[in-house]
Each structure stands twice: as structure tokens, then as C-alpha cells.
Amino acid sequence: MATKPPIVIAIYPGSFDPITNGHLDLIERGSKLFDRLIVSILMNGEKAPLFSVEERVDMLREVLSGYSNVEIDHFEGLLVDYAAYRGASVLLRGIRAISDYEKELQMALMNRRLRPEIETLFMMAGEAHSFISSRLVKEIIGLGGNIAGLVPPSVEVRLRKRFNTAKAGGQQTSR
Ligand code: PNS
């Protein structure tokens, strides 16, 4: 009798402060590869995040409600220990450019040393998203620039509220 193949659970960890269209693209593609994809927010990562963990969970819920095999969670401590606790065998990470590679390689090798049974899987960011980062999005909206198309619309609304800026932007102010 044929045995059932094991269920593959993957963790997509990150700060998600906030989620961008680059993250979303990776989640969409990753959700097709695994039985379950857990998008998990690192708590106490950045010292002064723009959004609280609760706000980031809410944003992820709003954006990811249509994905039946995607779960939202948060964690603290070592990622590999959390992954083992959740029964995950894969850590999913995105690579945008060569500049990401060095940090990601170091983390993947360290995580493998800590728990060799957990595999890190890299996906290349979609070419339309390879220049997007949460840090740049925050910088741009903070300086009055236009972030349409870089983050999901519901996230853009939250960012505009947080920075108290009107839609569109991108205009140079006179000196
Ligand atoms: O979105 P980010 O900031 O690039 O995500 C980084 C993250 C959350 C993947 C990384 O900081 C992490 O795994 N932190 C948990 C602590 C840990 O396990 N550190 C050892 C990594 S080798």
C-alpha cells in the first residue's frame, strides 16, 4: 500500500515592518510549493519598529486572508527552534540582489549548523519587486514620496495615517 507523502510546512520569517508587494509575491509563490506556509513576524527584532507586532499581524491578516494554506504567527528567540516547534522543515527566504546574498548565506549556514534537519530555501524576488524594501518604503513615504504599487493598498493607507501624509505625493517642495 502506498504511504502518504509527508506534509511539508515552511516558515517565511521576517520583520514585515510593513509587508511589501515583494513579500506578497514571495508568499503567493511559496504558498503553491508547500502544504502550509507560516508567515511569522520576529518580535523584538528592530529596536524601534514603525508598527507594533499586533499591527503587523493585522496587516498580514488583511492582505493574506485569501490564502487558505497560509498562517500568520509571530515568534521570539532562535528561528530554527521556533521552526522545529512548529513542525516546519523549510525556512523560506527571498533574495533580491547580490547584496542580500552574503547576509542570507551566513544566516542559512548558521541555521543549518544549529539544526541540520531544517533546510533554507531561497526564492528570487520577482523582477518587478527586486528593488522594494520595507526600509525604503518607510523612508520614501516619510519624505512625502509616492509609494503606490510598492505595498498593498491597505498597507499604504496605514502608512499614510502613520506619517500623516496625503495620497500621491512625489512632488518636490520649494526650498
Ligand atoms: O525581515 P528580516 O529583518 O530580514 O528578517 C530577519 C530574520 C527574522 C529572518 C532574522 O533576524 C532571524 O531569523 N531572527 C531570529 C533570531 C535568530 O534565529 N538568529 C540567528 C540567525 S542565524
Side-chain angles (χ1 to χ4, degrees):
M1 213 171 76
T3 51
K4 264 190 170 177
I7 283 181
V8 180
I9 301 173
I11 307 275
Y12 180 39
S15 307
F16 305 107
D17 187 38
I19 181 171
T20 67
N21 283 345
H23 295 127
L24 191 54
D25 170 57
L26 216 82
I27 293 166
E28 177 156 8
R29 287 155 56 210
S31 70
K32 295 177 188 145
L33 297 176
F34 310 106
D35 297 295
R36 175 162 281 266
L37 180 62
I38 304 172
V39 180
S40 201
I41 301 166
L42 170 69
M43 293 168 73
N44 309 327
E46 254 189 85
K47 282 198 185 80
L50 180 62
F51 294 105
S52 68
V53 172
E54 292 73 25
E55 287 173 312
R56 283 180 269 165
V57 167
D58 285 348
M59 280 189 273
L60 289 176
R61 284 221 178 97
E62 285 162 12
V63 171
L64 302 174
S65 59
Y67 298 88
S68 58
N69 66 335
V70 174
E71 186 189 326
I72 295 143
D73 196 9
H74 48 78
F75 74 102
E76 52 190 341
L78 276 181
L79 173 61
V80 284
D81 288 350
Y82 165 74
Y85 163 74
R86 293 303 320 261
S89 54
V90 175
L91 303 174
L92 179 65
R93 292 290 288 168
I95 297 240
R96 289 165 298 189
I98 291 288
S99 49
D100 283 340
Y101 179 80
E102 209 169 324
K103 176 188 161 215
E104 294 296 334
L105 175 72
Q106 193 183 19
M107 282 206 298
L109 294 179
M110 189 59 85
N111 283 333
R112 189 193 291 166
R113 185 190 161 96
L114 292 168
R115 280 197 189 254
E117 69 279 15
I118 296 178
E119 198 65 62
T120 301
L121 208 119
F122 292 108
M123 283 174 70
M124 306 315 276
E127 57 275 23
H129 306 109
S130 58
F131 60 94
I132 306 176
S133 73
S134 302
R135 185 184 62 79
L136 274 182
V137 165
K138 287 183 278 191
E139 186 174 318
I140 290 162
I141 193 154
L143 296 170
N146 189 350
I147 57 158
L150 302 180
V151 293
S154 59
V155 174
E156 186 183 343
V157 169
R158 280 178 185 262
L159 277 164
R160 275 197 263 115
K161 270 194 195 142
R162 187 58 46 102
F163 283 96
N164 210 7
T165 54
K167 201 175 163 72
Q171 301 294 312
Q172 286 286 323
T173 48
S174 55
R175 287 162 202 249

